[in-house]
Amino acid sequence: MAHDSGVAPVTTFDICIRNGTIVDGLGGEPFVGDVAISDGVITAVSRADGTAVGSFDGGARREIDATGLLVTPGFVDLHTHYDGQAIWSDRMTPSSAHGVTTAVMGNCGVGFAPCRPADHEVLVDVMAGVEDIPGVVMVDGLPWTWETFPEFMEALDAGRRDIDVAAFLPHSPLRVYVMGRRGVDREPATPEDLSQMRKLAAEAIDVGALGFASSRLTIHKTESGHPIPSYDAGHDEIEAIARGVDDAGGGLIQFVPDLVAGDYEPALQTVFDVAADVGLPVTFTLAIGNAGPAFFENALTMVEKANANGGDITAQVFPRPIGLVIGLELSGNPFVMYPSYREIADLPLAERVAEMRKPEVRERILNDKPASDGHPLMFAVQAFDWIFPLGDPPDYEPDPANSIGARAKARGVSPQEEAYDRLLDDDGHAMLLVTLANFRDASLDTIAELVRRDDVVLGLGDGGAHYGMICDASFPTFMLTHWVRDRASGRLTVAEAVRELTSAPARVAGLADRGRIAVGYKADLNIIDHDAMRLHKPTVRYDLPARGRRLDQTADGYVATIVSGEVIAENGVPTDARPGRLVRGRQHAPG
C-alpha cells in the first residue's frame, strides 16, 4: 500500500550555475545568484540573500562555478545571412563564437527560397553580388532539395546546428518565383502577381517565417551588376506581401532603405504607411553618415511620428563603424581594379607580395588608374581619410591621426603610397578597416546616443555573408568590451549592453521565450569572464564549400555558451553538442 513519506522528491537538474553575477537581460541591476536548468529551460533562479524563484532541492548532473563571472541570456542577432551556411554547416560562426544563440536570417530581401530550378543561377547571382558569397561556394554547398519556402524550412528543420536560426521570407526570391524573368527585370507586378505574392506570404508565415524582408539599397546589386529584383517594387507590391503576412497571423517587416542617397525617406515612408494600414511592426537599417547632412535624424523623426500614431517601428543601428575589411587576401583593396594589379592578382599571396615589393612593379601600379572609376567599391577602398590599419587587438574607434590619409601626409607621400606599403605589412596578411558610416566626425559618440533609445535596436552583424569583406558578427563582444569596459567616455553599463543584445532584439523579432534569465524562459545563456574578454583581429579561413574563403573572428572570455540547456562551447572551444533548431514563427513568453 502506497504511503506519503513526507519527503519531497529529489530533483536532478541538467545544469546548475552557481554564484554567478546574473545579468537578467531586462536592464535590471546585476545580482549574485544561481541558475538551474532542466529540459532546455530555466527552472530556478536564486539570489545570494536566499530568495529564489523555483526550487533548488536536489542535485545537478553538472555544476558550473561562476564565481566572479557574468551570467547573461544568450544573444539574439536580428540581421544575419546564414541562409546558405545553415544548410551546409552545423556551426554558425562567427556568431556562435560571440555568444549569439539565436540568429535571424533572410534579411535584405535576399535568400534561396522560394526558387524554381530554372532560377537557381538568378539567386546565386543576387547573393554573390549583394552578400559577397562566391558563386562556387553556393553551387557546391547548396543541394537545392527545395523549391517552395515551406520546403526550404523543412530543409532547415532537418539540420542540426550549434545555435537556433529563424528566417524571414525574402522579397527578391518571392518576386522571381511569382514573376519569372519579369521579376528579374523589375517590371511592375500585375494584379495576378500581387494576389499570388499575398498567398505565398501567408504560406510562409504559416510554416514559421518571422515576417518578410525587402531592400531598396542602391548598392545592393547582383554580381552581374543589375539592381536586385525588389529594388523598385511599388507600394502595391509591399502592401500585398504585408497583407499576406497579416492573413496568416502577422509578422515583422524588415527593410533596408537607400542609405546611400539622401532621398531614402519616400521609400521608408511607403513601408511605414503600409505597416500602419495593415498593422505590422517594422524594423529597418539606419546608417549614420560620417559627415554632411544628418539624414539619420530625419529618419528618427519619421519613427517618432509613426510610433506616436500607434506604430511599432525600430531602427537597427550597428554599434561600430559600418564598413569593410580590405587587404591582399580579401575581396577588396585600393588597387583591386587597376589593370597593372590585376595582372598579378591571381598569384599566390607570397608570390604577389614578392612582385609588389619590386620597385618597378610598385611604380607601375601606383602610376596606374582603375579600370572602373565609378564603381562603388573604388570609392570605398580609396576613401583614405576613413581607412585605418587594423591591428591585433582591432581598433574599431581609431584615432583620425592614424588614417591612411593622415599617415600619408605625415610621411610626405601620397595616400596610395601609404596604402600600398601598409598592404605589404605582415607579409601581405595586413588588413585595413574602411569606416564608411556610423563614424560621424571620426567618433562613435552619435552611436552612443542612439543605442540608448527605445526605438533603436542593434543589428547588421551580417554573419554568413560578405565573407571576403566584412566580419561584423563579432559585435556582441565589441559591445561588452569597448562600450562597457574600455571606452574613455559614454560607456554603457553591463546591464544596458546585455539588454540591447538580448531582450530588446528578442522583442523586435517576436521571440518572447528568450532574451532574459527568469524561470520558464529558454535556457540560452552565456557565462563570461568580463575582465578577460578580448576581441581578436579577423583571420582568413578556407573552410567554406569548395574551399571558399571567409573572414572569421574569435574572442577570449566566453567561459561557456549554452543553447537549450546544452553547452555548445567552453573557453572558446566548441563541443560536439548541436542543440540548435529552426525557430518556427513568433514565440510566446512563458506562463
Side-chain angles (χ1 to χ4, degrees):
M1 180 177 177
H3 65 279
D4 185 355
S5 66
V7 178
V10 175
T11 300
T12 300
F13 303 108
D14 294 326
I15 296 176
C16 196
I17 303 167
R18 301 286 188 184
N19 303 314
T21 300
I22 297 172
V23 190
D24 66 8
L26 295 178
E29 187 66 26
F31 60 90
V32 174
D34 302 340
V35 179
I37 297 169
S38 293
D39 298 324
V41 300
I42 297 169
T43 52
V45 180
S46 73
R47 294 175 179 262
D49 63 8
T51 60
V53 177
S55 172
F56 278 86
D57 292 338
R61 294 185 178 89
R62 178 172 182 186
E63 298 262 349
I64 299 177
D65 181 6
T67 302
L69 306 177
L70 300 179
V71 181
T72 78
F75 306 145
V76 177
D77 190 340
L78 285 174
H79 192 118
T80 81
H81 292 279
Y82 287 117
D83 309 60
Q85 193 169 325
I87 294 291
W88 66 59
S89 178
D90 61 355
R91 295 186 61 217
M92 300 301 101
T93 57
S95 294
S96 58
H98 296 276
V100 172
T101 54
T102 303
V104 180
M105 58 196 189
N107 284 274
C108 303
V110 295
F112 299 112
C115 183
R116 304 183 195 283
D119 293 323
H120 290 173
E121 289 185 8
V122 170
L123 296 197
V124 166
D125 187 39
V126 169
M127 291 296 274
V130 174
E131 303 301 342
D132 188 34
I133 303 173
V136 66
V137 169
M138 292 179 278
V139 170
D140 192 74
L142 295 177
W144 295 105
T145 54
W146 60 86
E147 177 173 320
T148 67
F149 189 82
E151 289 169 346
F152 177 66
M153 294 288 274
E154 286 295 328
L156 289 171
D157 214 359
R160 293 295 176 259
R161 50 194 69 87
D162 52 0
I163 65 174
D164 287 353
V165 295
F168 290 117
L169 170 67
H171 188 174
S172 281
L174 174 66
R175 190 169 216 272
V176 174
Y177 188 76
V178 170
M179 298 175 63
R181 191 70 226 177
R182 292 183 297 115
V184 177
D185 293 338
R186 303 179 318 285
E187 293 182 17
T190 67
E192 292 76 16
D193 296 330
L194 299 180
S195 175
Q196 184 69 358
M197 287 185 199
R198 179 171 180 168
K199 176 183 175 182
L200 292 176
E203 178 183 77
I205 300 300
D206 279 337
V207 299
L210 293 185
F212 86 95
S214 189
S215 170
R216 288 288 291 271
L217 186 58
T218 305
I219 60 173
H220 275 172
K221 294 185 184 296
T222 67
E223 190 171 44
S224 53
H226 303 292
I228 58 176
S230 72
Y231 174 66
D232 47 9
H235 180 286
D236 289 349
E237 188 169 329
I238 300 292
E239 181 178 355
I241 301 170
R243 293 205 178 277
V245 170
D246 186 56
D247 291 343
L252 179 64
I253 301 173
Q254 186 271 333
F255 186 66
V256 184
D258 193 358
L259 304 169
V260 176
D263 59 349
Y264 61 79
E265 295 166 36
L268 201 58
Q269 190 63 57
T270 293
V271 174
F272 287 8
D273 289 345
V274 167
D277 290 344
V278 179
L280 299 181
V282 174
T283 187
F284 71 96
T285 300
L286 182 66
I288 315 305
N290 288 352
F295 293 119
F296 70 95
E297 293 178 349
N298 299 338
L300 290 172
T301 298
M302 293 171 65
V303 171
E304 291 167 355
K305 181 179 178 181
N307 287 342
N309 290 328
D312 183 359
I313 313 289
T314 51
Q316 282 190 31
V317 171
F318 192 59
R320 67 190 194 207
I322 296 173
L324 309 173
V325 179
I326 60 176
L328 297 181
E329 288 184 284
L330 302 172
S331 298
N333 70 66
F335 311 102
V336 70
M337 291 188 177
Y338 284 33
S340 52
Y341 174 78
R342 294 182 74 84
E343 290 174 8
I344 62 172
D346 293 332
L347 291 176
L349 181 65
E351 295 179 32
R352 203 173 350 137
V353 167
E355 284 294 309
M356 291 178 70
R357 283 179 172 154
K358 294 177 179 178
E360 65 274 19
V361 175
R362 185 179 192 274
E363 183 178 4
R364 185 166 66 247
I365 292 176
L366 288 173
N367 288 328
D368 202 358
K369 298 290 182 185
S372 179
D373 250 338
H375 195 284
L377 181 61
M378 284 312 302
F379 162 76
V381 298
Q382 291 200 347
F384 293 117
D385 288 340
W386 301 100
I387 300 177
F388 302 83
L390 191 65
D392 195 4
D395 185 356
Y396 291 102
E397 192 172 9
D399 187 326
N402 203 33
S403 74
I404 294 298
R407 292 167 64 101
K409 187 174 182 180
R411 280 181 61 195
V413 299
S414 71
Q416 285 83 356
E417 288 176 276
E418 173 65 15
Y420 191 101
D421 294 341
R422 297 291 67 77
L423 289 172
L424 295 175
D425 288 342
D426 192 19
D427 292 327
H429 297 287
M431 297 179 186
L432 303 177
L433 175 68
V434 186
T435 60
L436 292 176
N438 286 15
F439 202 38
R440 192 162 187 84
D441 300 322
S443 166
L444 292 178
D445 286 347
T446 301
I447 297 298
E449 299 170 11
L450 294 182
V451 296
R452 289 180 164 88
R453 293 176 56 124
D454 290 338
D455 54 9
V456 170
V457 67
L458 298 180
L460 208 64
D462 266 345
H466 303 291
Y467 282 125
M469 299 184 78
I470 292 176
C471 196
D472 284 343
S474 61
F475 77 89
T477 304
F478 180 76
M479 284 291 294
L480 292 172
T481 51
H482 188 76
W483 281 112
V484 174
R485 189 190 65 196
D486 300 337
R487 199 171 191 261
S489 63
R491 288 194 296 269
L492 300 168
T493 67
V494 69
E496 288 173 327
V498 168
R499 180 188 64 220
E500 299 308 318
L501 292 167
T502 57
S503 66
R507 183 201 72 79
V508 171
L511 302 178
D513 63 334
R514 64 199 69 200
R516 60 180 293 192
I517 295 179
V519 170
Y521 281 78
K522 194 169 182 289
D524 294 349
L525 300 162
N526 286 307
I527 302 172
I528 295 169
D529 184 343
H530 195 217
D531 290 339
M533 187 168 254
R534 298 288 183 276
L535 184 58
H536 298 300
K537 177 184 175 180
T539 58
V540 177
R541 301 188 188 278
Y542 293 86
D543 59 358
L544 294 178
R547 284 192 50 78
R549 173 200 59 196
R550 71 178 179 117
L551 281 164
D552 194 15
Q553 193 168 20
T554 59
D556 298 333
Y558 290 95
V559 176
T561 296
I562 298 170
V563 174
S564 295
E566 296 188 46
V567 178
I568 66 162
E570 293 187 72
N571 296 310
V573 179
T575 69
D576 292 332
R578 296 293 182 268
R581 298 293 183 267
L582 171 68
V583 184
R584 287 188 184 263
R586 294 180 293 179
Q587 304 294 305
H588 298 293

